[in-house]
Amino acid sequence: MAGNITFSMIKPDAVGKGYTGKILDRFISEGFKIKAMRYTRLCKCEAETFYAVHKGKDFYEPLVEFMTSGPVVALVLEKENAVADYRTMIGATSNPAEGTVRHQFAESTRLNAVHGSDSDENAQIEAGFFFAQRELL
Ligand code: ATP
Ligand code: MG
């Protein structure tokens, strides 16, 4: 299983602007299978924990504020080479290339529409942060 899943989130900016359906359609059309999905909302403590690796950076507090500003869609996606293929599909954090999800839907480096795990190990950790084991079978 390791290597075949990634954790994804549609962030509050994109959910708020009504892009959820279009973004899910893109994921599916690129061959990702939805293994788990939840429409939810993060409290401050959850957003701080989720992005703890960035604690102390200048963008950390505004990031936490942004991530708690509205509902999100949390997903576990399955595909061969899921982490790398998903990161290619969404594009870079800043100046995402044309054709990527962030190029289409992000409005800035911070308000960048989607999250994606950066390693197989973090995919497992992030999936476990949002979903129970029985939801990931
Ligand atoms: P994510 O982890 O959400 O998939 P990422 O891996 O592309 O994004 P990270 O470096 O992990 O980027 O940063 C986490 C999030 O913090 C970014 O997605 C963005 O919302 C915000 N962020 C990162 N760098 C900046 C910055 N220089 N200015 C403003 N916000 C930033
Ligand atoms: Mg990241």
Side-chain angles (χ1 to χ4, degrees), residues 11 51 54 59 63 66 87 93 102 109-110 112 114-116:
K11 296 186 181 184
Y51 279 117
H54 296 303
F59 63 79
L63 172 63
F66 161 51
R87 297 285 301 198
T93 317
R102 282 174 169 167
T109 299
R110 177 173 305 123
N112 62 359
V114 287
H115 163 83

Side-chain angles (χ1 to χ4, degrees), residues 59-71:
F59 63 79
Y60 178 68
E61 283 181 18
L63 172 63
V64 168
E65 193 168 322
F66 161 51
M67 291 303 295
T68 56
S69 66

Side-chain angles (χ1 to χ4, degrees), residues 29-43:
S29 70
E30 296 233 6
F32 290 90
K33 191 174 152 225
I34 297 174
K35 212 170 155 54
M37 178 162 77
R38 180 174 305 124
Y39 187 86
T40 185
R41 191 166 178 150
L42 296 176
C43 69

